[in-house]
């Protein structure tokens, strides 16, 4: 790693902490961001000469705060002097900010920064974009590329999101226990959105894959702030276990590879180890939640060295619990896959029939249905389901995967015809 | 004389490395480790998973208290470490409790190991 690369890593790592403190101080996302950028520029000038400080975040907060105050002073020469309360009404303005970096209320700063990015007033796409820009510090260009939109459109999206957040008036007082829990849940959802934005990429594109890494980094950050929250452990474990399969999820031709057909040797053992360790920790709390349950299911797949070793009965039970906790036709559909392994495709097909109305526009419903029908030898119906799936495919990889099934059906039909001919 | 080299670094920074940066560091370390191995000087080497995966057993009370997260009390110092092979966190905690009963006071941080090379030096 070159020295500059090392400095950039230091800045990236310090960013959430420093931005959170500057936001508390300036109470405005743009002002905080500007102050942080300013501090980073000074760091890049200063740190190579004097070596990085022992606490980069504290340094950036101090320098950023002073830079921000300078900007306000310069502007105030042209405008009316701002009310001191508009900058900060907390007593820490003059105190050494470094002391505050270790304070327990510091975690509320970071939580607030994250929460502002996923404010309920914002649509999901704006939440993700804002979090990546503000918390992760990705450039507008990088985010635009990840979302496959042009830079100007992304710039507008982020500006709109900031304006909405400013209007929402998120309170700057330390939140109470209930509000903290609500914010935490909202932030967890946002982090999982970022992850899924990367995970649902149609092929192993680098930019979008990086969103998965970023989501995991944010989750680890959140977990360090709230180390005893089983659902945050569950969320982190879930993302690690899903992302551990990244290298095995796509074939060379770009088509999606199903879990049971993946080369498990390509799975990332390190991520699996961390995911399993976290789910182990979470379960001890005996406070199950949707992330923990999904992580526990992913863990059972990760623990199976071969697909045949998968504990489908346990997976069926876990999906059953998830169904009760968070009823959704998609969960039932997933459960049906487990049921097909234990009680056969007929039982599974029966289970998904009632979902047909609600999942009539859902790619996976027809993919799974087609696979059940295929196993039952109901070829014509299977083909119809697969045709429907292709029409609904979200990515080329999904379509390619279904086409493979259709080709197989056609080949089987061909050989059956040959058999008949030869009789 | 056997020396333990305990590795300290900012987790925020290490977790911010890209995959390429991480691999580059590991590759550079492997060169040094290979040399030490040839010289018969290398003992077990372990890389630990992030502290978020850690659990701490406080054994200064009875029964010992299990806490999520790493041991971060600066009043006490790292005085040694064990490597144990367990099926689950529960089993590791049982072993820690047993060790704690034999050596009460202080804490054990139970931290899953990521990479492990047994090495060959015996001291």
């Amino acid at each position: 790693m070159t020295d500059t690369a090392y400095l950039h890593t230091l800045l990236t790592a310090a960013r959430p902490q420093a931005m959170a403190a500057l936001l508390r101080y300036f109470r405005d996302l743009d002002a905080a961001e500007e102050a942080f950028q300013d501090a980073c520029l000074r760091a890049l000038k200063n740190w190579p000469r004097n070596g990085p400080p022992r606490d980069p975040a504290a340094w950036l907060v101090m320098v950023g705060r002073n830079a921000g105050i300078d900007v306000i002073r310069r502007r105030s020469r042209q405008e009316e002097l701002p009310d001191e309360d508009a900058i900060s009404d907390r007593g820490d303005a003059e105190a050494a900010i470094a002391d505050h970096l270790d304070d327990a209320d510091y975690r509320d700063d970071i939580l607030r920064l994250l929460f502002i990015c996923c404010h309920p007033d914002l649509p999901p796409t704006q939440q993700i974009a804002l979090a990546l820009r503000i918390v992760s510090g990705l450039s507008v260009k990088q985010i635009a590329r990840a979302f496959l939109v042009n830079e100007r459109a992304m710039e507008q999206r982020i500006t709109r999101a900031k304006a909405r957040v400013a209007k929402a008036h998120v309170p700057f007082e330390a939140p109470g226990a209930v509000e903290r829990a609500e914010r935490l849940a909202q932030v967890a959802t946002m982090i999982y959105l970022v992850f899924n934005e990367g995970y649902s990429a149609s092929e192993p594109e680098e930019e979008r894959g990086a969103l998965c890494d970023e989501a995991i980094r944010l989750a680890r950050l959140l977990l360090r702030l709230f180390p005893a929250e089983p659902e945050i452990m569950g969320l982190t474990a879930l993302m690690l276990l899903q992302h551990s399969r990244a290298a095995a999820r796509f074939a060379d031709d770009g088509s999606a590879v199903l879990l049971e057909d993946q080369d498990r040797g390509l799975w990332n053992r390190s991520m699996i180890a961390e995911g399993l360790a976290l789910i182990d920790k979470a379960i001890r709390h005996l406070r199950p939640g949707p992330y923990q349950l999904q992580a526990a299911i992913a863990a059972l797949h990760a623990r199976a060295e071969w697909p045949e070793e998968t504990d489908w009965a346990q997976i069926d039970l876990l999906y059953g619990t998830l169904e009760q906790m968070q009823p959704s036709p998609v969960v039932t559909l997933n459960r049906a896959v487990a049921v097909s392994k234990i009680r056969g495709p007929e039982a599974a097909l029966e289970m998904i029939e009632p979902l047909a109305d609600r999942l009539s526009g859902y790619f996976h419903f027809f993919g799974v249905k087609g696979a059940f029908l295929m196993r039952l030898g109901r070829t014509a119906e299977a083909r119809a389901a697969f045709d429907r799936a292709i029409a609904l495919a979200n990515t080329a990889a999904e379509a390619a995967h279904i086409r493979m099934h259709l080709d197989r059906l056609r080949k089987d039909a061909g050989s059956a015809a040959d058999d008949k001919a030869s009789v | 004389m056997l020396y333990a080299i305990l590795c300290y670094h900012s987790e925020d920074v290490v977790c911010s490395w890209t995959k390429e940066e991480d691999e580059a560091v590991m590759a550079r370390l492997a060169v040094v480790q290979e040399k030490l191995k040839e010289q018969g000087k290398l003992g077990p080497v372990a890389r630990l998973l992030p502290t978020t995966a850690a659990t701490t057993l406080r054994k200064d009370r009875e029964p010992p208290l299990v806490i999520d997260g790493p041991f971060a009390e600066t009043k006490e110092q790292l005085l040694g470490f064990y490597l144990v092979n367990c099926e689950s966190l529960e089993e590791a905690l049982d072993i820690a409790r047993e060790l704690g009963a034999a050596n009460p006071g202080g804490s054990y941080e139970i931290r899953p190991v990521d990479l492990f090379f047994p090495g060959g030096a015996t001291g």
Side-chain angles (χ1 to χ4, degrees), chain A residues 108 111 173-183:
Chain A
D108 286 326
L111 183 60
E173 294 72 41
V178 174
E179 201 181 354
R180 187 178 291 128
E182 282 168 4
R183 285 186 181 188

Side-chain angles (χ1 to χ4, degrees), chain B residues 13-85:
Chain B
V13 172
V14 173
C15 286
S16 300
W17 285 348
T18 62
K19 195 165 146 274
E20 291 71 29
E21 284 165 347
D22 197 291
E23 281 167 1
V25 172
M26 295 308 275
R28 284 202 304 273
L29 288 172
V31 174
V32 182
Q33 287 164 6
E34 194 52 39
K35 192 186 86 187
L36 292 170
K37 199 166 138 194
E38 277 165 22
Q39 296 168 344
K41 289 184 176 176
L42 193 70
V45 175
R47 177 177 184 171
L48 305 180
L49 284 170
T51 54
T52 41
T55 307
T56 298
L57 183 81
R58 281 229 65 103
K59 54 198 180 89
D60 53 3
R61 66 205 75 188
E62 195 54 50
L65 187 66
V66 180
I67 307 165
D68 288 301
F71 171 71
E73 199 98 47
T74 45
K75 273 175 279 167
E76 292 165 20
Q77 285 74 34
L78 181 67
L79 299 181
F81 64 90
Y82 299 86
L83 284 178
V84 286
N85 189 2

